[in-house]
Amino acid sequence: MITILNEKRGENELFVLSDGKEKLAECEYSFDDAEIFAINVFCEDNNVFRESVLRAALSRLDFAGKTDVISKNPNLCDFLTGIGFEYIDGVGMINTTVFFKNSACK
């Protein structure tokens, strides 16, 4: 069974996708600053896993009222742009209210 776990790494939080034996993917973010730092996939390059942990982080931030989320990680630019982040001067930005309103998941 695949689960998403909430963990800590120093001051940052992570959502970890696990099959019960090993990590499949993780999203590291700052709850305080509403910033996505990294998304890692540990098995095959799987965008479903990548998007799952990102959506978990965006949902957590959204429920806390932190609706404007950023990412300064240039390695995430293509992926984040593909799901709706807009980039200005190297900073990706998304409003979670708009993101979830326009999502297929209602």
Side-chain angles (χ1 to χ4, degrees):
M1 179 162 102
I2 293 180
T3 58
I4 295 182
L5 309 168
N6 193 359
E7 297 181 0
K8 294 278 280 179
R9 181 177 290 152
E11 296 294 315
N12 298 330
E13 296 191 22
L14 296 112
F15 274 105
V16 177
L17 188 70
S18 172
D19 65 1
K21 296 177 185 172
E22 56 189 55
K23 289 182 180 182
L24 304 173
E26 69 181 14
C27 177
E28 182 177 355
Y29 66 99
S30 168
F31 181 77
D32 294 330
D33 298 328
E35 180 176 351
I36 305 298
F37 293 120
I39 303 171
N40 300 302
V41 177
F42 302 109
C43 51
E44 74 267 3
D45 191 21
N46 189 319
N47 276 339
V48 173
F49 291 171
R50 185 176 281 113
E51 189 170 337
S52 295
V53 290
L54 175 63
R55 282 179 172 274
L58 293 177
S59 180
R60 170 130 163 70
L61 293 166
D62 184 70
F63 280 124
K66 298 173 185 240
T67 57
D68 293 318
V69 179
I70 65 167
S71 180
K72 298 175 187 172
N73 184 337
N75 297 325
L76 296 176
C77 181
D78 289 341
F79 173 71
L80 294 179
T81 300
I83 65 158
F85 275 70
E86 293 182 15
Y87 273 77
I88 299 172
D89 296 328
V91 177
M93 296 172 268
I94 196 161
N95 179 279
T96 58
T97 304
V98 174
F99 175 74
F100 287 115
K101 181 179 178 183
N102 293 331
S103 171
C105 300
K106 304 282 183 206

